[in-house]
Amino acid sequence: MECLQAASSFPLGFRRPWQSRSRARITAPRALAVESRPDFFLLELAEKLEDSVSKGAGEERRSNLVLKALRDGSAEVAVTCKWPSSKDEAYRFTNVKFLKDSEIQPLIIGGDEVESLSFEGMEDEEGESIRLVFVDGILSPELSKVEGVPPEVYVGSILAAPDEKLQKYVVPRISQASTLIDKDAFVSLNGIGALDLGVVLVPKDLKLEKPIHVVYYSTPRKNLKNQLEPQVVSMTNPRLLVVASEGATVHLVEEFRGGTEESSHWTNSVCEIVIESGASVSHDLIQTQGRSSVSMKKTYVSQEKASSYKCVDVELGSKLSRHNLHIEQLGSDTKTEMLTFLLCGRDQVQDLHSRLILNHPRGYARQLQKCIVMNSTGHGVFDGNIRVNRDAQQTDAGQLSRSLLLAPRATVNAKPSLQINADDVKCTHGVAISDLDEDQLFYFRARGIDAQTARSALVFSFGAEVIEKLESKTMQKSVEELLKSLLLREGAI
């Protein structure tokens, strides 16, 4: 049994805040020692992450002041975090215990070689885009493409960012990073284990014509353990910061790829998006990782006055995929749109937890969440909360969740929530979980279309309603083709 030793303050520098200089005793803040015991599993994993940074990150990454500040701030908060369980309301329907029972190994630079990557279907109609590629959490200059970026814009790694841009845009955000964690164990682990930080900085009134594609690629690694030993799960912690200055326009695409049916990989990512007054960000998110992978994503969005944010999220892969989306409107006349499609096949869990907070007048919000569960062992989860606070008068907010169950014992847990604390508002929400509509099938049959073709058309169009909102038509086509193949594979069409 480890000993618990109270400490009045955290040591400075890179040393773990929960560990003494002798590395023999786990320490915690004095207040925490009185209230509850720390989560030793979480602290042990945090120690593994720190060791991976010290051994494999290289001197440049270890000594970078921004990354060091991020790691130190996250480590302080990690002491107060707990590994989530089914007793926690936020994880009531999402079981992450199998990760705790696994042998988690943070990846170190210099591991397996990267396989050749194809970016077909990622380019826009003119074949032009800006591309950042993270391989196992590290930005790859060889695979990235930043030619043609306007000189006022910075797109790349924190390690190469100009000092004046760091001081103006990045340092203030990193200094506040620990306040974003909100006792989220996975966000604190990301901060401790971050080996790089992707940065997109767009200055005032600049409309970025080219989309920015950010690819998170996980190299396949086979589990060499036998059946009697814990499964080995490799872990990476990519992180991205996007700042759209006043009046700027940005189209951002995040794509999660890699992994196989045999390789077990956990991508634990964090994305922070800052949208200043009058700026606009269109955010497409596509997850197609292997069926043995785990994808945990946290997205923070802050919107200032008269800004707009649109998120289109398509989740097709992974054994477990969870997206925690947190958006806060910090000014009046602000517009927010969220569209999500979850596809749940054999032994897949797709989970969306979203939270939108409206604090100012004349806010606009729309959320559409759709889910298809096509196998008896598939499971969809949706917990969406829109909170209209007292000062958010004349708000127009709407929320709709629709799920399609195509197999016996297929499961969806949907919890749309609209909290209204203002009196001059227009707000609606609804939820529907069902099989295919018999009236719609009859409509097809009455026009001479056979039952199988009618069923296939209805199932595909159910998901295509969200996919067609992707900004890039070439990517939209690529995702639609993948959706068709997955539906055919499970016998859903």
Side-chain angles (χ1 to χ4, degrees), residues 37-106:
R37 293 171 58 86
D39 189 317
F40 291 107
F41 171 78
L42 186 64
L43 299 186
E44 181 182 356
L45 180 54
E47 182 176 338
K48 284 185 179 180
L49 288 168
E50 191 185 64
D51 286 342
S52 71
V53 172
S54 62
K55 293 177 181 178
E59 180 60 29
E60 186 179 17
R61 299 182 192 279
R62 287 197 301 269
S63 60
N64 182 272
L65 295 179
V66 175
L67 291 176
K68 185 175 183 296
L70 174 62
R71 287 193 287 265
D72 289 347
S74 299
E76 291 186 9
V77 181
V79 183
T80 67
C81 296
K82 297 287 186 180
W83 187 268
S85 70
S86 58
K87 295 180 181 180
D88 300 309
E89 180 63 27
Y91 286 84
R92 181 181 172 191
F93 302 111
T94 306
N95 182 15
V96 293
K97 186 177 183 297
F98 73 94
L99 283 174
K100 194 172 183 178
D101 295 336
S102 303
E103 182 181 334
I104 301 174
Q105 294 183 350

Side-chain angles (χ1 to χ4, degrees), residues 119 121-132 143-149 155 208-215 251 253 472 474-475:
F119 299 106
M122 289 186 57
E123 307 291 352
D124 64 9
E125 287 72 16
E126 288 74 31
E128 297 182 352
S129 67
I130 302 165
R131 185 169 67 230
L132 292 179
L143 297 174
S144 300
K145 186 178 74 172
V146 294
E147 293 85 0
V149 176
V155 180
L208 199 57
E209 299 292 342
K210 298 180 179 181
I212 300 175
H213 292 264
V214 182
V215 182
H251 174 204
V253 180
S472 171
T474 54
M475 180 161 285

Side-chain angles (χ1 to χ4, degrees), residues 127-379:
E128 297 182 352
S129 67
I130 302 165
R131 185 169 67 230
L132 292 179
V133 181
F134 286 84
V135 178
D136 294 332
I138 301 294
L139 192 63
S140 170
E142 296 78 18
L143 297 174
S144 300
K145 186 178 74 172
V146 294
E147 293 85 0
V149 176
E152 312 95 305
V153 177
Y154 180 75
V155 180
S157 170
I158 187 69
L159 302 179
D163 186 65
E164 65 274 12
K165 292 187 182 295
L166 285 178
Q167 297 300 323
K168 181 178 180 180
Y169 297 105
V170 181
V171 172
R173 306 307 309 179
I174 295 301
S175 64
Q176 303 171 19
S178 60
T179 64
L180 299 177
I181 295 178
D182 193 26
K183 293 191 176 182
D184 188 315
F186 302 120
V187 179
S188 66
L189 292 174
N190 173 277
I192 296 170
L195 296 172
D196 207 341
L197 173 63
V199 180
V200 177
L201 307 175
V202 183
K204 181 178 178 180
D205 295 328
L206 191 145
K207 182 178 181 181
L208 199 57
E209 299 292 342
K210 298 180 179 181
I212 300 175
H213 292 264
V214 182
V215 182
Y216 305 98
Y217 181 74
S218 304
T219 54
R221 283 167 167 79
K222 293 184 179 180
N223 184 2
L224 301 179
K225 294 283 186 179
N226 62 48
Q227 294 182 353
L228 299 179
E229 295 179 307
Q231 183 183 35
V232 177
V233 177
S234 56
M235 179 187 184
T236 57
N237 299 278
R239 195 176 184 107
L240 180 69
L241 171 64
V242 179
V243 179
S245 299
E246 183 178 347
T249 301
V250 181
H251 174 204
L252 173 69
V253 180
E254 287 189 286
E255 186 177 11
F256 294 80
R257 302 167 63 179
T260 64
E261 296 287 343
E262 296 79 22
S263 64
S264 297
H265 187 277
W266 174 14
T267 303
N268 181 42
S269 67
V270 172
C271 176
E272 184 183 358
I273 302 175
V274 181
I275 310 175
E276 296 184 357
S277 300
S280 175
V281 174
S282 176
H283 183 195
D284 296 340
L285 194 152
I286 300 134
Q287 186 271 121
T288 60
Q289 291 183 300
R291 285 288 186 93
S292 293
S293 301
V294 176
S295 177
M296 306 289 284
K297 300 174 287 294
K298 184 82 174 193
T299 303
Y300 294 98
V301 182
S302 58
Q303 295 183 250
E304 297 183 6
K305 181 179 179 180
S307 65
S308 66
Y309 173 72
K310 177 184 176 183
C311 178
V312 182
D313 182 7
V314 180
E315 304 281 345
L316 304 180
S318 293
K319 174 183 179 180
L320 166 63
S321 177
R322 175 165 174 136
H323 186 195
N324 292 332
L325 175 60
H326 182 101
I327 307 172
E328 189 166 1
Q329 293 188 357
L330 303 176
S332 59
D333 304 290
T334 306
K335 182 178 181 180
T336 305
E337 295 180 84
M338 297 173 282
L339 301 99
T340 307
F341 173 60
L342 312 177
L343 182 68
C344 309
R346 177 174 52 85
D347 297 323
Q348 276 187 292
V349 178
Q350 304 282 8
D351 182 355
L352 170 68
H353 271 61
S354 64
R355 187 181 187 189
L356 171 61
I357 302 174
L358 298 96
N359 291 314
H360 297 272
R362 298 179 299 280
Y364 176 89
R366 286 291 184 273
Q367 181 172 31
L368 173 63
Q369 184 268 343
K370 306 191 81 173
C371 177
I372 295 178
V373 185
M374 51 185 178
N375 190 280
S376 298
T377 59
H379 187 188

Side-chain angles (χ1 to χ4, degrees), residues 16-33:
R16 304 176 186 87
W18 56 81
Q19 193 173 50
S20 66
R21 291 286 176 178
S22 65
R23 300 172 64 101
R25 299 168 69 87
I26 294 179
T27 65
R30 187 178 301 279
L32 180 64

